[in-house]
Amino acid sequence: MKSKVLIISVLFLSIIACQGKTKPQAAVNQSAENQSTVLVKADFTDEDKRIFTEYIQQFKAYNTENLNNIIIRTALFFKDRPYVAHTLEKDPETLVVNLREFDCTTLVESVLALSRTLKYYPDPVFENFCGELQKIRYRNAEIQDYTSRLHYTSDWVFENERKGLVKDVTRQIGGEPYPVNVSFMSSHPDSYPQLEKYPDFVNAMAKKEKEISERKNYALIPKNKIKSSEKGIENGDIVCFVTDIKGLDISHVGFLYIEKGVLTFIHASSQQKKVIVNPESLIDYVSGIKSNKGIMTVRAVEFF
């Protein structure tokens, strides 16, 4: 992929646009208000744009459905796409747009961004999708450096709830208080090329970890109480698997999916090396993971 300088028009309900493959130009939604324009870089290929166009053509007739339904359609659109880790690691930090392959986090971000683009833009274009993706992936929708990416899922949930994009519904469907305590990235900088290369980033991450760990708003549904909370779960909710690994919060993410009356989930599987509908139920899945403490459930916010 080649890096491009892009002109971004920002609408803070839902619009940040990026420019495509050739010469830069502003992509402005005519109905947008309160826009500002900034220069950023993004990496994508012609194939990513082709996949986007195919997606819009296939699903544009469904843009009046509720957002969670669109999320399920979008996630299933990527079924069998390959699992590839570490696709976001660019130096300097750059918006990476990759619809060809996913890890669990990039699948969730891309599906949410595509679903919002389909639903909330009258004539959606690739530029709109790029902007939605940047807004979801980065703190304050701004790319400053590696530390402005939302690395910890609990922080991702907090920041995107603050933006009005998602709502953490864990507590309201039966969750219990969950004291987040993150430190893994700053205590294992050799596992992250950017942290190993830039020591100042380690200090910045440690500061952010302290801030995340001081928040008191998180909850989880323990694995032995998922069954009793199922009635509050909606098809298309984001599921976050809480881990007891020291210094980490969430080990995996996906989309909850009710198939033939059974609650399971859609995810980019590192074991199967592709995007799958998990063959076993959600309860059976978490029961088989010793380090799993339970789940957080997050719902995309619908604008009316």
Side-chain angles (χ1 to χ4, degrees):
M1 291 186 290
K2 294 182 178 179
S3 183
K4 303 103 180 163
V5 176
L6 311 175
I7 296 178
I8 299 282
S9 295
V10 178
L11 168 66
F12 236 86
L13 166 65
S14 58
I15 296 172
I16 309 170
C18 75
Q19 156 59 20
K21 189 86 175 174
T22 56
K23 58 184 179 180
Q25 61 182 20
V28 181
N29 186 308
Q30 295 302 314
S31 65
E33 299 176 356
N34 301 322
Q35 290 181 336
S36 61
T37 302
V38 296
L39 290 174
V40 301
K41 291 184 177 180
D43 275 2
F44 57 87
T45 67
D46 288 338
E47 179 64 6
D48 296 311
K49 295 191 74 173
R50 187 202 66 76
I51 294 168
F52 171 83
T53 300
E54 177 188 349
Y55 165 79
I56 294 296
Q57 290 174 346
Q58 184 170 333
F59 293 109
K60 61 185 177 182
Y62 301 104
N63 67 352
T64 57
E65 290 188 346
N66 72 55
L67 186 54
N68 266 23
N69 282 354
I70 294 173
I71 284 170
I72 289 296
R73 291 186 185 276
T74 306
L76 291 173
F77 175 77
F78 292 110
K79 188 172 177 286
D80 295 325
R81 289 278 176 178
Y83 178 97
V84 178
H86 311 302
T87 60
L88 303 186
E89 305 314 311
K90 303 292 178 182
D91 187 13
E93 184 72 16
T94 301
L95 178 67
V96 174
V97 182
N98 187 341
L99 297 177
R100 294 160 285 113
E101 55 203 11
F102 302 96
D103 64 22
C104 67
T105 300
T106 60
L107 178 69
V108 166
E109 290 178 336
S110 296
V111 167
L112 180 57
L114 282 169
S115 300
R116 285 176 51 82
T117 302
L118 182 74
K119 185 165 182 65
Y120 297 126
Y121 293 81
D123 298 297
V125 293
F126 187 72
E127 289 83 350
N128 305 137
F129 163 61
C130 292
E132 289 292 331
L133 187 61
Q134 178 172 321
K135 181 164 58 176
I136 290 165
R137 183 173 291 164
Y138 290 94
R139 187 170 291 103
N140 301 320
E142 297 175 353
I143 302 175
Q144 297 178 349
D145 57 39
Y146 179 76
T147 65
S148 59
R149 199 194 316 161
L150 299 169
H151 296 280
Y152 287 102
T153 304
S154 55
D155 193 32
W156 187 99
V157 172
F158 176 86
E159 292 291 344
N160 280 306
E161 187 165 28
R162 192 167 69 167
K163 296 169 194 167
L165 306 183
V166 301
K167 178 176 175 57
D168 184 352
V169 297
T170 309
R171 195 180 298 271
Q172 75 182 52
I173 66 172
E176 303 173 356
Y178 165 44
V180 170
N181 187 9
V182 292
S183 60
F184 193 90
M185 293 183 69
S186 66
S187 59
H188 297 79
D190 54 334
S191 298
Y192 303 90
Q194 294 266 37
L195 297 185
E196 191 171 32
K197 184 176 180 180
Y198 301 106
D200 286 349
F201 288 177
V202 179
N203 296 331
M205 282 306 308
K207 182 178 179 181
K208 180 53 63 177
E209 288 166 345
K210 184 174 184 294
E211 179 185 328
I212 296 167
S213 300
E214 288 175 349
R215 295 172 186 154
K216 306 300 182 184
N217 57 304
Y218 295 114
L220 69 80
I221 300 169
K223 61 168 70 175
N224 63 351
K225 295 186 177 180
I226 292 174
K227 184 65 178 178
S228 62
S229 296
E230 281 190 10
K231 61 183 179 296
I233 287 172
E234 294 184 7
N235 221 16
D237 284 349
I238 299 167
V239 58
C240 311
F241 296 91
V242 179
T243 183
D244 66 5
I245 296 172
K246 184 178 179 180
L248 287 180
D249 52 353
I250 306 297
S251 60
H252 193 47
V253 292
F255 292 102
L256 291 166
Y257 180 46
I258 302 169
E259 184 178 47
K260 298 178 181 178
V262 176
L263 179 63
T264 183
F265 64 107
I266 304 166
H267 63 126
S269 169
S270 60
Q271 290 186 335
Q272 298 295 320
K273 302 299 182 185
K274 61 183 179 179
V275 176
I276 64 169
V277 176
N278 205 67
E280 56 188 343
S281 71
L282 176 69
I283 292 174
D284 287 346
Y285 177 84
V286 298
S287 297
I289 302 174
K290 186 177 180 180
S291 61
N292 178 265
K293 298 176 67 173
I295 63 170
M296 292 172 61
T297 307
V298 179
R299 187 165 298 155
V301 171
E302 187 105 24
F303 295 117
F304 297 96

